[in-house]
Amino acid sequence: MNRRTFIKGAIALTAAAWANPMIVIDAAENFKWWQKKPVYQIYPKSFLDTDGNGIGDLRGVIDKLDYIKSLGAGAIWLTPIYPSPMVDNGYDISDYTAINPLFGTLDDFDELVAEAKARDIKIVMDLVFNHSSDQHPWFLESKSSRDNPKADWYIWRDEKTNWRSIFGGSAWQWCEERGQYYLHTFATQQPDLNWENSDVRRALYDAANFWLDRGVGGFRIDAIVYIKKPAQFVDGTPDADGTCSVHNMTAALPGILDFLHEFKREVCDGRDIFTVGEANSVKPEDLPQWVGSHGVFDMLFEFSHVNVMFPHGEVWHRAELYKLSDFKQALTDSQRATRDSWYPIYFENHDKPRSVNNFFPHGSDKTLAAKAMAIILLTLRGTPFIYQGEELGFANVAFDSIDDYDDVSSRGQYDMARADGFSDKQALRFVHRFSRDNARTPMQWNTSPNAGFTSGKPWLPVHEDFKTCNAAVEDKNADSVLNFYRRLVSFRNASDVLIGGDYAELCHDSEELYVFTRTLGDKKICTAVNFTTHDVKLPDKIFDGAKKLFGNYPDEKNYLRATEAVIYGN
Ligand code: GLC
C-alpha cells in the first residue's frame, strides 16, 4: 500500500473529534485488519494457570479474552505452545503440529481460536523454523547414522569452527553416534535445520499450513535470519576469548530471501493473514527487500532501536549507556524505510527487559515512564505490539542468585561475564539489568497470593510489587497505566492520522526529548517525550493550533516535566 492510497483512503477528522479524542471515527477503509489494531503478545507459561501446576495454560488465555478485548487488540501472538522439552521455554520444538500438554490440548486451542474470533481477535502462532529440539523425531533419526533418510536434515560437519552460540559456549556439539558435530545457533538442545534440503522446507511449510487450516491469523517467525548457512564453514575474526559470534557468520546471508519467497508462496499467498519476521541484523535500509510488495513478510522485527545498548553484539556485559539520539535515529530510519510498507512497533517482548527500566534513567517515576512509552508505542506509524504486563507498567526483577534464574540465556550470559573476569556480583548485576526473566515473571492479576496467577507454586517468582501493580487494582483506578492504555488504544484505532499519517522527527539532536509528528493532509499529531528527570523546554511552536490531547501529567505547561509525554493535535 503506498502513501497516495493512505491519503485517498483517509476519512477527514472532524473538529469535534479533535476536541474530544474519545469520539470514535471509522478508520480508513484501505487498511488491513492487522494494521488497524494493536497485537497483544502472550507468554502462555506466565499468563494464567488454571490447573494449579504453577504454569500458565491455554484455558487461562481463554479466561482472559475479555480483558484483552478491553485493551482494543485485534490479535494475540502466542509464543510457542508446541510439545517441547522446554529448555528454551518452547523455542525448542519436538512436534510442530500438536499442543504441549503443559498448556492444554488441540481442543483447547480450537476453542481459543473460536472464542477469540467471537471477540474479533485472531490468534497468531510463533513459527520456530531455524532449529528444532534435539528431542524432535527428525533429529533423533538424523543423529542415528550418516546414511538414514533424515541424515541431511540438520547441519553436520567433521570439523568445528570457532563460532560461539548466541547463548554462550561453542555453537558446535559433538555427536558420538555420527562421529560428527552439529550446529546449534542457540542452546545445545536446539540443533539448526538444514534449509538447503527441500524435504525439510516442505515439512516446515506443511506445519505452517496445518495451523492456518485451523484458523490462525498469521505468524511471528522466530530467528529467521539464521536459516541460510554460508557455503564454507570457516573461523570468524575472534573476540578476546578466541570465539566469534555465530550471529556474525550466518545472519541474513545472501540467498536467504529465495527461501523466504518460497515460504511466502507456499504458505502465505492468498490468505488473509499477516507475517512478522524476527530479524536481528537486518538494517533499516534493507527493509524494502524484506517487507511490503517486493518483500517476504508483512512486517519485520528488526532490532536497531533495541540494540542501541549493544554496540558489541548481544553480550550483556559489553552493553553501554545508550544515547537517546541513537535510539531516535534508529526509529526514524525504520519509519522512513517502511513508508511504503509497514512496521511492527515494539519496546518489550519475552526477550527484553521492561521498558520502564530499559529506556529511562534511574530515578524516573515508573508510572509516568510506562505511560510515556505507551504514548510512543501508539503514535508511531505501524502496528503496535503490546507485551503482557506492559499495559500495567511492569518493572524488572532482581533475584538474589543466578540459581533463581530459569532463562538459559541469562545463565550463559552470567558464565560469559565470569569468564571475562567480572565478579559474581558484577555478573549478577548484568543479569538483573538485561535478563529475559524480567519479562517472564507471572502476570499480576489481583492482590491474592501469587497475584492470582496460580493456586500452586509459580514456575518463576511473582514480582514483589504485585499488591499495587496488578490488573484488578488498575482496572478500578481511572488514572492507572491500564486505563491510560485503553483510552490511548481506542484513540489510535480510530485515528486516520495515527494509522496512516506520515512520520517526521523534530529536535533530532536533543539528548533529552523525542519529538515527532504524524501528518495526513492538513491533520497533524505531535508526540513529545522528555526522557530526563528534569524540566526541559519545548520547541517554541509545536505547530499552528496544537492542542494537548493526551498526556501523562493531568495539567499542561509550556515545558515538559520529568518523564512527561504529551500528544498534541490540531
Ligand atoms: C528468538 C526468541 C527467543 C528464543 C530464540 C531461539 O530470539 O524470541 O526467545 O530463545 O529465538 O529460538
Side-chain angles (χ1 to χ4, degrees):
M1 192 177 308
N2 61 33
R3 287 168 56 228
R4 204 168 299 130
T5 329
F6 284 139
I7 293 170
K8 220 173 99 210
I11 296 166
L13 299 170
T14 63
W18 288 109
N20 177 358
M22 297 322 295
I23 291 183
V24 176
I25 303 157
D26 283 344
E29 283 159 14
N30 288 335
F31 293 93
K32 302 251 173 58
W33 61 267
W34 45 267
Q35 296 173 308
K36 294 191 215 174
K37 291 182 182 174
V39 176
Y40 187 75
Q41 185 195 345
I42 291 185
Y43 198 70
K45 193 174 180 187
S46 302
F47 195 62
L48 179 62
D49 172 24
T50 58
D51 59 11
N53 66 354
I55 291 178
D57 44 51
L58 290 181
R59 300 228 65 85
V61 180
I62 296 171
D63 280 4
K64 292 295 177 186
L65 283 172
D66 287 333
Y67 170 81
I68 296 160
K69 172 97 181 152
S70 82
L71 270 169
I76 294 171
W77 152 27
L78 295 174
T79 58
I81 49 173
Y82 315 94
S84 162
M86 301 296 273
V87 170
D88 188 20
N89 278 332
Y91 283 92
D92 46 324
I93 296 173
S94 55
D95 182 350
Y96 284 94
T97 53
I99 300 290
N100 188 334
L102 271 180
F103 295 132
T105 63
L106 214 41
D107 284 345
D108 294 331
F109 179 79
D110 290 341
E111 188 179 329
L112 171 62
V113 172
E115 286 295 324
K117 187 174 176 203
R119 291 163 177 84
D120 203 18
I121 294 173
K122 310 228 185 185
I123 299 295
V124 170
M125 298 287 271
D126 211 315
L127 292 182
V128 188
F129 279 0
N130 175 66
H131 46 267
S132 71
S133 159
D134 66 347
Q135 299 307 308
H136 195 295
W138 298 341
F139 186 74
L140 296 177
E141 186 174 344
S142 188
K143 78 172 202 180
S144 65
S145 69
R146 292 192 191 197
D147 57 6
N148 66 74
K150 295 203 168 44
D152 190 33
W153 277 43
Y154 292 83
I155 313 286
W156 295 100
R157 287 291 177 278
D158 294 334
E159 309 280 331
K160 60 178 178 175
T161 59
N162 68 345
W163 302 355
R164 183 180 66 244
S165 79
I166 291 187
F167 294 157
S170 173
W172 297 98
Q173 178 67 26
W174 178 251
C175 170
E176 277 304 333
E177 287 104 312
R178 283 186 58 139
Q180 279 185 311
Y181 295 95
Y182 68 84
L183 180 69
H184 59 92
T185 297
F186 294 90
T188 315
Q189 299 87 342
Q190 292 169 301
D192 283 41
L193 286 153
N194 178 14
W195 272 67
E196 299 297 336
N197 182 321
S198 59
D199 292 340
V200 170
R201 302 202 302 276
R202 182 76 266 151
L204 295 173
Y205 304 156
D206 286 350
N209 282 316
F210 171 89
W211 295 104
L212 289 176
D213 293 344
R214 294 196 101 83
V216 309
F219 298 114
R220 179 264 189 184
I221 301 126
D222 183 70
I224 198 66
V225 283
Y226 303 113
I227 59 173
K228 180 83 187 172
K229 310 301 185 215
Q232 306 289 331
F233 288 71
V234 292
D235 283 353
T237 312
D239 291 332
D241 65 356
T243 67
C244 159
S245 170
V246 63
H247 174 88
N248 299 345
M249 306 307 290
T250 63
L253 292 182
I256 189 171
L257 291 168
D258 296 338
F259 287 151
L260 294 175
H261 277 291
E262 184 184 75
F263 165 79
K264 181 169 177 285
R265 278 196 308 276
E266 296 290 324
V267 175
C268 311
D269 284 353
R271 308 245 201 189
D272 183 21
I273 60 166
F274 77 80
T275 52
V276 54
E278 187 207 25
N280 190 3
S281 87
V282 170
K283 304 268 176 301
E285 60 266 28
D286 298 324
L287 279 172
Q289 294 182 329
W290 287 78
V291 291
S293 47
H294 301 294
V296 288
F297 297 126
D298 294 306
M299 300 178 264
L300 202 71
F301 288 129
E302 42 93 3
F303 282 42
S304 52
H305 67 297
V306 286
N307 274 353
V308 289
M309 286 141 200
F310 303 104
H312 311 290
E314 274 210 350
V315 181
W316 296 350
H317 60 276
R318 291 191 211 130
E320 286 174 10
L321 268 187
Y322 91 102
K323 272 174 71 188
L324 185 65
S325 54
D326 291 343
F327 175 69
K328 298 190 299 181
Q329 184 68 57
L331 285 169
T332 295
D333 288 346
S334 305
Q335 291 276 297
R336 283 197 189 127
T338 52
R339 264 179 113 185
D340 293 331
S341 56
W342 203 248
Y343 179 71
I345 315 155
Y346 76 98
F347 299 112
E348 293 190 14
N349 61 37
H350 62 290
D351 294 331
K352 299 288 164 219
R354 293 294 185 175
S355 299
V356 298
N357 303 94
N358 205 20
F359 297 109
F360 291 88
H362 192 66
S364 304
D365 179 272
K366 190 171 85 69
T367 303
L368 290 176
K371 291 179 179 176
M373 286 317 281
I375 281 184
I376 303 176
L377 184 70
L378 289 150
T379 57
L380 283 171
R381 183 177 172 282
T383 298
F385 281 71
I386 303 169
Y387 177 65
Q388 65 183 50
E390 190 173 8
E391 79 281 11
L392 299 170
F394 276 18
N396 285 351
V397 281
F399 299 144
D400 292 340
S401 150
I402 187 63
D403 299 331
D404 299 332
Y405 284 84
D406 170 89
D407 171 29
V408 58
S409 155
S410 303
R411 284 185 263 114
Q413 292 283 352
Y414 181 87
D415 292 343
M416 279 193 266
R418 291 291 291 113
D420 255 9
F422 289 95
S423 68
D424 290 355
K425 211 168 149 194
Q426 286 165 319
L428 190 61
R429 255 209 317 270
F430 300 127
V431 171
H432 288 167
R433 172 82 179 80
F434 293 111
S435 173
R436 307 193 303 176
D437 281 348
N438 283 313
R440 298 176 181 185
T441 57
M443 267 297 270
Q444 296 162 203
W445 293 110
N446 52 47
T447 52
S448 61
N450 297 317
F453 163 69
T454 180
S455 56
K457 182 177 181 316
W459 72 278
L460 200 64
V462 174
H463 197 295
E464 59 193 18
D465 71 3
F466 78 91
K467 291 268 180 200
T468 49
C469 184
N470 68 63
V473 163
E474 293 199 27
D475 185 56
K476 291 196 192 72
N477 171 4
D479 203 27
S480 66
V481 177
L482 175 62
N483 282 316
F484 192 76
Y485 258 91
R486 288 173 172 155
R487 288 193 294 273
L488 206 48
V489 171
S490 90
F491 173 56
R492 185 263 174 204
N493 289 358
S495 163
D496 294 301
V497 188
L498 285 182
I499 295 178
D502 266 346
Y503 166 94
E505 193 196 336
L506 309 179
C507 310
H508 177 67
D509 295 330
S510 169
E511 294 294 350
E512 300 179 315
L513 297 181
Y514 183 23
V515 187
F516 60 87
T517 55
R518 303 288 312 283
T519 309
L520 186 70
D522 58 0
K523 293 294 167 195
K524 234 185 210 316
I525 278 189
C526 176
T527 292
V529 181
N530 177 2
F531 274 83
T532 76
T533 49
H534 54 259
D535 296 344
V536 178
K537 197 174 162 307
L538 272 169
D540 281 344
K541 204 188 232 179
I542 295 284
F543 56 79
D544 279 338
K547 287 193 294 277
K548 177 176 167 177
L549 302 180
F550 270 95
N552 57 357
Y553 279 76
D555 56 344
E556 192 180 1
K557 305 271 183 209
N558 58 359
Y559 55 88
L560 290 184
R561 289 154 280 188
T563 325
E564 182 163 7
V566 180
I567 303 176
Y568 302 94
N570 61 355

